[in-house]
Amino acid sequence: MSTLDSYAQKPHVDGSLIKEGLLELNFKDNWRYQPGDNPDWANPNFDDADWYYIDPIGLKAYQMPDSLWSGFGWWRITFTADPKTIEAIERLYFYSWGAAEIYLDGELVASYGSFSPANQLEKTYTPDYDGDRPLKITPKAVHTLAVRFSNHQAKNNFKIFRYFSENLGFNIGFSSTIRAKYSDFRYANSFATLSVIVVVLSILLLLHVLLYFKFRKEEPYLVITLITFFFLCAAICAHILLFVDLNGFSNPIFSSILNSTAFGLGYGLLPYSLSSLFRIQKFYWTRHLVWLALLRTANYFIPVFNFILFDATIILAVIVLMVIIMRIAINEKNKGALYVTFGAIGTSVFLLVNRMVNADLITLSTFFYYVDLILLYISYPLGIYIYITNQYGRLFLAMEQEVEERTHQLNTMIRDLTKTQNELSIKNNQNVLLLKEIHHRVKNNLEVVSGLLALQSAKMDDPTMQEVMLASQNRVHSMGILHQKLYQSEHLAFIEMKNYFENLCINILDSYNESDRIKVNIEMKELEMDVDTAVPLGLIVNELLTNALKYAFPKGEKGHIQLSLENLNEDNFQLKISDNGVGKALDEKAKGTGFGTQLVDLLTRQIDGKLMQDVSKGTMILINFKRQVTTVGGQV
């Protein structure tokens, strides 16, 4: 095609070419290119008829012959325009990773970066989120746009990154008021979009991490946590230019490679997360799909598959797998599975729309593009969170209902137990009164017996018989004192031994009228004994004390008797009775009838005790025994 001044053969700019306020100068076969550098090429009257036809819009490095590209050159385009369209133009739009000077009708209207034929002097332009440059075009019959352009790194970047490398060329156009408003708020809108994605994903990530650490055996929580983390990393990498100025080499690493790989890893785990969440074991093999993300990244460096077909195939395959898995989950009546279905299928649909927009297969308004981008990242983690919340909500309600039922049962049991306890308490009080009455009556009966023995003794003239009757009377009285203590005590099964011994000793001394001549010292701590042990101990003390009064202090001598009961350790006790009387020889026969000695031996055996005596200085009797354990119904 030759460059002619005729209207018909020059590209014409009018309102029909404006889309969302942007008019891109995407006129194929109308752009002219010339390698080298000459300021005269900005002149609109310069004859570029012998220049090369090379379109800079979306120009890839492999599309530019090495013979024509040494890192810099000029592009020119001549066009006619509708006057109303020219009046509507307010800004200049330019997107490139190189450096450029823009000339319109021979005048320099904008500079991007710092153009230079020398690689080391070139300062490339980083496309950021600034608004389009102000531009006012003077209406003319024919306009000439010349771009002095350098991008020394483009070829080298392509050799390293291939598909991930940025374009060698540039995009250029004019924008109207609508586009101007969008470009002025592009940073704010993009930052807001990223903020929504990051905040939602961060909250969901924190919640999923907490769930994983709370339920470490639940593998789905770990997989979902990883998916959320990968999506969060991908979103941040996709918007890295909001925070950092990159160039044509560093930008592909963050915005393309890391972004693509992170999102691919998360997306590849979707089917496995569903199969493990709903425990559909026959689809556990889907965990191997994660390798497709790495294969996809490698394919960009060493191209084997067409990346557009590869992406489309993977997306559709994942959608089919998730539909099958979710159908099984719903058929198995997994409540809340529809929430996960919305998230999983939604992520795939939004991803497919995003890829179609990037491939220029469809167009979306700016608003819907941002909505699609937000839903692309948060749909699945949010759907999973809603599902988990729904499940734990159901569990909480079930537990709450269970707690209410258990509480009702416990209250019923408590009422029954309280009623039973009150009945037992009444019966226990009745039994206590009955036992007290029994002990009281036994004590009275023993006093009657003691009184009868005293009357009988008074009618006897034989001193020996009177002494026997007195001894029996004291034995009966020792048991009477014990029963008196029992019905006076709060504990009907135990006797406080020190007070019991004191009353017993006073009674015996009074019965023999020896209170002034003989002193009994009781040196022991307060100690409680069960009735089965206290009765034999009382009779033993009665016999030994009586024996000491009768034989230890002849001829009216005064003396002292020591009495003690000591807890040696745990259940081992020692009863000790000693006097400073005359004592006796070990081989001396027992005085009197010997009944008292036999009774002491018998009672000692009854409490499984061991009796020892020392008559070297007076008489000392030691009885070591263990606490008796009462058995009821054959059980201890």
Side-chain angles (χ1 to χ4, degrees):
M1 175 180 178
S2 61
T3 303
L4 302 176
D5 293 333
S6 64
Y7 174 85
Q9 295 190 4
K10 285 186 174 63
H12 183 66
V13 173
D14 59 29
S16 64
L17 301 178
I18 299 177
K19 297 180 180 179
E20 293 191 9
L22 178 62
L23 191 158
E24 290 189 89
L25 299 177
N26 189 9
F27 299 109
K28 295 183 179 180
D29 299 327
N30 287 283
W31 280 95
R32 298 295 190 90
Y33 169 75
Q34 180 65 25
D37 181 39
N38 186 343
D40 292 338
W41 295 346
N43 190 334
N45 297 319
F46 180 81
D47 184 9
D48 56 10
D50 59 346
W51 284 23
Y52 300 94
Y53 289 99
I54 298 177
D55 188 0
I57 309 301
L59 180 64
K60 297 290 185 179
Y62 65 85
Q63 294 173 329
M64 175 64 82
D66 292 340
S67 60
L68 297 180
W69 185 254
S70 58
F72 61 96
W74 282 70
W75 268 276
R76 285 168 56 97
I77 189 170
T78 302
F79 60 91
T80 60
D82 177 49
K84 291 184 179 180
T85 303
I86 292 298
E87 290 179 4
I89 293 173
E90 295 185 356
R91 307 278 183 102
L92 173 66
Y93 162 72
F94 183 77
Y95 185 92
S96 174
W97 289 93
E101 294 176 353
I102 312 298
Y103 295 87
L104 180 62
D105 298 329
E107 294 183 6
L108 178 65
V109 294
S111 296
Y112 297 89
S114 179
F115 171 87
S116 176
N119 182 12
Q120 64 274 16
L121 297 179
E122 177 193 70
K123 182 179 180 182
T124 58
Y125 169 68
T126 299
D128 54 22
Y129 291 84
D130 293 336
D132 296 340
R133 305 283 180 87
L135 176 67
K136 196 64 180 175
I137 304 177
T138 302
K140 290 184 179 181
V142 178
H143 297 278
T144 300
L145 184 70
V147 181
R148 188 185 187 196
F149 186 74
S150 64
N151 192 345
H152 291 274
Q153 300 299 320
K155 290 278 188 177
N156 187 51
N157 291 344
F158 173 75
K159 292 178 181 178
I160 298 174
F161 298 122
R162 294 188 179 276
Y163 174 77
F164 283 127
S165 66
E166 304 299 343
N167 293 348
L168 180 145
F170 52 83
N171 286 8
I172 192 169
F174 305 120
S175 58
S176 64
T177 303
I178 297 175
R179 166 72 185 188
K181 291 181 179 180
Y182 159 73
S183 66
D184 287 342
F185 291 97
R186 184 166 56 171
Y187 180 90
N189 291 339
S190 298
F191 186 80
T193 301
L194 176 64
S195 298
V196 172
I197 295 173
V198 169
V199 169
V200 174
L201 288 182
S202 296
I203 294 174
L204 295 177
L205 177 63
L206 177 61
L207 293 173
H208 291 315
V209 167
L210 292 176
L211 283 174
Y212 168 66
F213 281 104
K214 188 68 177 177
F215 307 99
R216 293 199 179 189
K217 293 183 179 179
E218 295 293 331
E219 186 177 352
Y221 293 141
L222 173 60
V223 180
I224 295 167
T225 300
L226 290 175
I227 292 174
T228 307
F229 173 73
F230 286 140
F231 282 2
L232 179 60
C233 291
I236 294 175
C237 289
H239 294 80
I240 194 68
L241 288 174
L242 286 169
F243 314 103
V244 181
D245 287 336
L246 302 177
N247 54 39
F249 178 81
S250 57
N251 183 65
I253 296 175
F254 292 95
S255 300
S256 299
I257 298 175
L258 295 180
N259 169 35
S260 176
T261 304
F263 191 87
L265 290 172
Y267 188 73
L269 286 171
L270 290 185
Y272 177 62
S273 67
L274 297 179
S275 60
S276 60
L277 183 67
F278 298 111
R279 292 179 171 80
I280 305 175
Q281 295 185 2
K282 63 181 179 180
F283 282 95
Y284 279 7
W285 61 268
T286 54
R287 63 179 177 271
H288 300 298
L289 291 177
V290 72
W291 293 104
L292 291 177
L294 302 178
L295 178 61
R296 176 176 181 267
T297 301
N299 187 59
Y300 292 143
F301 293 95
I302 306 175
V304 177
F305 310 104
N306 181 285
F307 71 91
I308 295 179
L309 293 177
F310 186 82
D311 276 0
T313 303
I314 294 302
I315 294 172
L316 293 175
V318 170
I319 291 176
V320 170
L321 281 173
M322 289 192 294
V323 168
I324 295 173
I325 293 171
M326 297 312 301
R327 184 175 179 81
I328 294 174
I330 293 173
N331 290 338
E332 292 180 355
K333 297 182 179 180
N334 283 284
K335 295 182 178 180
L338 289 176
Y339 299 115
V340 185
T341 302
F342 163 77
I345 307 302
T347 294
S348 299
V349 172
F350 297 130
L351 175 60
L352 192 59
V353 170
N354 181 269
R355 291 293 181 264
M356 293 174 70
V357 170
N358 292 339
D360 293 326
L361 298 177
I362 62 173
T363 58
L364 289 179
S365 67
T366 303
F367 173 77
F368 285 109
Y369 176 78
Y370 282 131
V371 171
D372 178 78
L373 194 63
I374 292 174
L375 294 177
L376 168 63
Y377 285 104
I378 71 172
S379 292
Y380 181 70
L382 186 60
I384 287 291
Y385 175 71
I386 295 175
Y387 166 75
I388 293 175
T389 303
N390 180 68
Q391 292 298 99
Y392 280 103
R394 292 176 181 273
L395 179 62
F396 176 78
L397 292 176
M399 291 178 63
E400 191 176 46
Q401 184 177 359
E402 181 70 17
V403 169
E404 289 180 358
E405 293 178 357
R406 293 292 181 90
T407 302
H408 178 72
Q409 294 175 358
L410 286 173
N411 288 334
T412 302
M413 292 177 62
I414 290 173
R415 286 195 297 270
D416 294 341
L417 289 173
T418 302
K419 181 180 179 180
T420 303
Q421 183 181 13
N422 292 334
E423 293 175 354
L424 290 174
S425 178
I426 293 173
K427 290 183 179 180
N428 182 63
N429 292 334
Q430 293 174 349
N431 291 334
V432 169
L433 291 175
L434 180 61
L435 285 174
K436 285 181 177 290
E437 181 63 23
I438 291 173
H439 286 303
H440 185 65
R441 293 194 178 189
V442 170
K443 175 256 182 186
N444 289 340
N445 291 335
L446 290 174
E447 286 185 348
V448 170
V449 173
S450 178
L452 292 174
L453 291 175
L455 290 174
Q456 186 66 35
S457 176
K459 294 181 179 182
M460 292 181 178
D461 297 329
D462 186 352
T464 302
M465 292 302 297
Q466 288 181 342
E467 185 176 332
V468 171
M469 295 299 289
L470 180 60
S472 297
Q473 184 181 349
N474 285 337
R475 295 184 185 109
V476 172
H477 199 65
S478 70
M479 291 185 289
I481 293 173
L482 185 143
H483 285 280
Q484 180 181 1
K485 295 295 180 183
L486 282 173
Y487 79 76
Q488 291 177 345
S489 172
E490 294 182 358
H491 305 290
L492 299 177
F494 295 93
I495 299 294
E496 202 287 298
M497 299 303 294
K498 182 177 182 180
N499 183 262
Y500 172 54
F501 284 159
E502 288 174 348
N503 291 333
L504 183 61
C505 291
I506 291 172
N507 178 72
I508 295 174
L509 290 174
D510 288 344
S511 66
Y512 283 95
N513 197 22
E514 296 288 359
S515 301
D516 295 332
R517 186 171 69 92
I518 308 298
K519 301 297 181 183
V520 179
N521 295 326
I522 300 177
E523 297 180 355
M524 59 180 287
K525 297 178 181 179
E526 292 186 357
L527 185 65
E528 288 188 341
M529 281 287 177
D530 59 277
V531 176
D532 292 341
T533 305
V535 172
L537 289 178
L539 292 173
I540 289 173
V541 170
N542 178 78
E543 295 301 323
L544 295 177
L545 187 59
T546 300
N547 192 58
L549 293 176
K550 292 167 59 177
Y551 304 114
F553 308 103
K555 301 178 182 180
E557 296 180 1
K558 294 183 178 182
H560 291 84
I561 299 175
Q562 303 288 334
L563 173 61
S564 67
L565 178 61
E566 181 181 1
N567 185 1
L568 299 179
N569 55 65
E570 296 183 358
D571 292 334
N572 294 310
F573 295 85
Q574 184 182 77
L575 176 66
K576 178 181 178 182
I577 299 180
S578 63
D579 61 64
N580 60 350
V582 297
K584 68 173 184 177
L586 291 176
D587 56 351
E588 182 180 350
K589 293 182 179 180
K591 298 179 180 180
T593 62
F595 178 73
T597 301
Q598 294 177 4
L599 182 59
V600 170
D601 290 338
L602 179 64
L603 294 171
T604 301
R605 289 196 298 270
Q606 181 178 336
I607 60 175
D608 293 330
K610 182 178 181 181
L611 188 146
M612 297 172 287
Q613 63 178 334
D614 182 5
V615 294
S616 59
K617 294 181 180 180
T619 302
M620 179 179 68
I621 304 296
L622 296 176
I623 299 178
N624 293 329
F625 65 94
K626 290 187 176 181
R627 186 194 300 271
Q628 301 300 298
V629 179
T630 304
T631 59
V632 179
Q635 295 181 350
V636 177

